[in-house]
Amino acid sequence: MHSGFDPNSHGKATDSIGNTTISGSDGTALSMLFRERQFPDFISHWHSLLYWHRDILTQLEMQLEKERDRLALWVPVGVGMGIAAWFWLANSALWMGFIALCAGLALFVKSRDQGGRVSNALIWYLMLMAVGCVVIWMRSWAVATPVLERPAVFSFYAEVEETEVVSARNVVRLTLATHGKQDLPPRVRVNVSIDKTVSGLQASESQTSDLLVSNLRAGTVIQLRARLMPPSMPSLPGAYDFSRRAWFMGLGATGTSLGDIRIVQAAPPPSWGPLSSMPQYRQMLSNHVQSSMTDGAGAIGATLATGDRGAISDEDAEAMRRSGLAHLLSISGLHVTALVGAIYLLVLRTLALFPPLALRFRLPLFAAGCAAVGALGYTLLTGAEVPTIRSCVAALIVLAALIMGRSAITLRMVAAGALFVLILWPESLVGPSFQLSFAAVTAIIVLHEHPKVQTLLARREEGWPYRLGRMIAGLFLTGLVVELALIPIALFHFHKTGIYGSLANIIAIPLTTFVIMPLEALALLLDSLGLGTPVWWLCEKALGFLLFIAHYVSSRPGSVTVMSTMPQSAFALLIVGGLWLCLWNQRWRIWGIIPIIFGIVTIGASRAPDLYITGDGRHVAIRDDRGDLAMLRTRSGDFIHSMIIENAGIEGETIPLEQWRGADCNADSCSVTIEMADRSWVILATRSSYYIPALALSAACRRADIVISERRLPHSCQPRWFKADRTFLSQTGGMTIDLENQRIETVLSRSGRHHWTRLNMPDDAHPKKPN
């Protein structure tokens, strides 16, 4: 309806929406004239904003309609974001607020819903985030257990729950149930030296581990004396947090036995089936593989067969990490896929030799069933770790798809496996194993879904040199993409990553899949006939070649990139960008590059800290812009030394603090002057427990900007900025200090006030910036 003028209305006019206005003598509506004069900009901006909003919604509807088959891939992402929010917020009130916010926003969107895909997707995503937060909250509550308050020595009785041999460290790791008695947590873990006496009987060194395992199997009641301590927290921000892992494992203390172990009651015989004896079978098989091959080859072979990595030496493990081959040591997709594929093809081809069976029965169904049983058995035999379970679930989904004639290897399979793990073990989201495993598999599938890659690798009639070249190109391209996907995860968790991994994997993956694992399986089969020795020799040579590749690649110049602790915001941006690139299929997936660029810029703009102080105050390191690192105590132990080096992001050896320019050290303390940010910083650190006169200490504190000590310093010690003594560090944990930006990051600020942190610094106790 158009605006009109009624001569009978006596100066009134009706506009297009039925409103009555007063007109002037010239026929122009006075109210419209008033609006145009008073609110012209506001009305035009409001209409343009409204149309812009509708246009965006329309475009989103069209995009989601095209991507409707990919929406399900975001289900585990939504659950994962809720889990990540729980870890980040670290407060029950904030958790409840987050859940309420997600539910409230979902209800608001539902009230404005017009039945489109945008609103439905947003509602589901918000609810999935709330579900993720609830799942991890309930999981944390379900595994909650008392934790030992302080280190102490105990003599106690306990029941053995699990036995694990760590041959590389010459110890047997016992998980013990104390049943909450004797003022101990219900569940503790104790390392027992392999040379210990069991029940008063000393075995020879070659038989001691077998003796310990056979006598200390699950169900055995023992008496021992051990020094126990609370699960260790990160020594520095961004370092490995064992206390978090121990919380979800139900461990309240860890420690080391101090004397002989007395067996009070032997373990009863297994009461049901072979599953209860699986740990013993696993250890027996691991010992058999190690005894069949020598040195590092036996340790790697045992890992591939049973998942037992305890016998791998530190040198071999580091070489595998630096060369980008560490994924071969984690029983996951590669190993389960090789086993399932071998069983499936072997059973199918064998049964196909019998025409009556091939004509009357569905052989793929029977072969898939045998492969599924093999996958489940291999998962249980290797300890049922999270990556193995994920791979087993994925393999079962693939087998089911093959039976139904559906496409097997898809991102939906990966999403189903991720959702399964996140619901049962939501804490695995923040661990490197989950992230590395799913990132690698997702990258491989996304790469091979691309039409150009499919064209490159498609089978065609051509000579074998061309087929071999295409296979090598495919392996290299796959390795390169996987390396790019894993680099940010490796840098975030381990502060280092291999550069030449894609080249090493061209040889290592086929060698492991088609040579080493089949030879090992054949050797174990022939051992039942006493004919396995020649095959074990071949397997040892193949494993030796694998270790040679690892050591050669890891020793090349520039083979490893190191970085100081990555900002959490940068890591989140990289993950979000990677997910957007991988999970969508249309051209708008390229938008994922934007958060990736911002993440890289954030990493480049972040500055490595100048000071590193461990949570006990004993170990202090100073870093300069040239990458030199000086330590207060040179005899700090290999673990502390390597941990500080990794967090500082440097390669090479450290120097004693006495050799640092501007350092003044004696037996009790070191004073260092650092030129930074147009001023001189004076750092004072104590390094002995001897008495220091109060007047001398107070004078030294007044001359320093920062005072660091493992002891409790008196109130008279007042530096110009702050003092990090035992009292202060017990509230904050370890810390790093950026002197140029005057920024302090602590373990508490990075990890949050979770139940396992055992830190609680008052908000008003944070150091103020110096004048």
Side-chain angles (χ1 to χ4, degrees), residues 32 73 76 108 146 213 239 252 278 315 317 370-371 477 514 542 545 704 736 742:
M32 290 297 297
L73 303 180
F108 174 76
V213 173
M278 190 63 72
E315 293 78 11
C370 293
L477 189 59
F514 301 115
F545 183 53
T736 58
Q742 299 178 13

Side-chain angles (χ1 to χ4, degrees), residues 409-543:
I409 310 298
T410 64
L411 284 177
R412 290 202 173 198
M413 174 202 72
V414 179
L419 185 62
F420 178 82
V421 173
L422 290 177
I423 295 298
L424 295 183
W425 300 279
E427 70 276 8
S428 64
L429 174 76
V430 296
S433 179
F434 177 92
Q435 296 172 11
L436 292 170
S437 178
F438 280 97
V441 175
T442 302
I444 291 173
I445 294 178
V446 170
L447 173 68
H448 287 267
E449 281 184 346
H450 198 280
K452 292 185 178 180
V453 177
Q454 291 179 345
T455 302
L456 174 65
L457 303 180
R459 291 185 177 182
R460 61 197 71 184
E461 293 294 332
E462 57 185 358
W464 69 266
Y466 292 99
R467 289 198 299 270
L468 179 62
R470 291 182 186 276
M471 184 186 71
I472 294 176
L475 287 173
F476 175 76
L477 189 59
T478 301
L480 181 62
V481 170
V482 169
E483 284 296 319
L484 291 175
L486 301 187
I487 280 176
I489 301 174
L491 289 176
F492 181 77
H493 290 283
F494 309 121
H495 312 289
K496 65 175 67 174
T497 184
I499 300 299
Y500 305 145
S502 56
L503 296 174
N505 278 290
I506 291 178
I507 303 175
I509 290 179
L511 178 66
T512 303
T513 306
F514 301 115
V515 179
I516 294 175
M517 293 187 68
L519 283 176
E520 196 165 352
L522 180 60
L524 290 172
L525 180 63
L526 292 178
D527 274 346
S528 59
L529 304 175
L531 303 175
T533 302
V535 183
W536 281 122
W537 182 85
L538 292 174
C539 189
E540 180 180 345
K541 297 303 179 184
L543 285 167

Side-chain angles (χ1 to χ4, degrees), residues 642-675:
S642 61
M643 182 270 299
I644 294 178
I645 286 179
E646 288 179 359
N647 279 263
I650 67 170
E651 279 279 287
E653 296 298 325
T654 62
I655 61 175
L657 193 56
E658 294 89 334
Q659 301 178 12
W660 191 267
R661 53 194 175 277
D664 182 14
C665 298
N666 55 39
D668 295 322
S669 64
C670 274
S671 178
V672 181
T673 302
I674 302 176
E675 301 294 335

Side-chain angles (χ1 to χ4, degrees), residues 229-246:
M229 63 185 66
S232 59
M233 295 185 57
S235 297
L236 291 171
Y240 175 63
D241 189 357
F242 178 71
S243 61
R244 182 182 66 202
R245 183 184 177 195

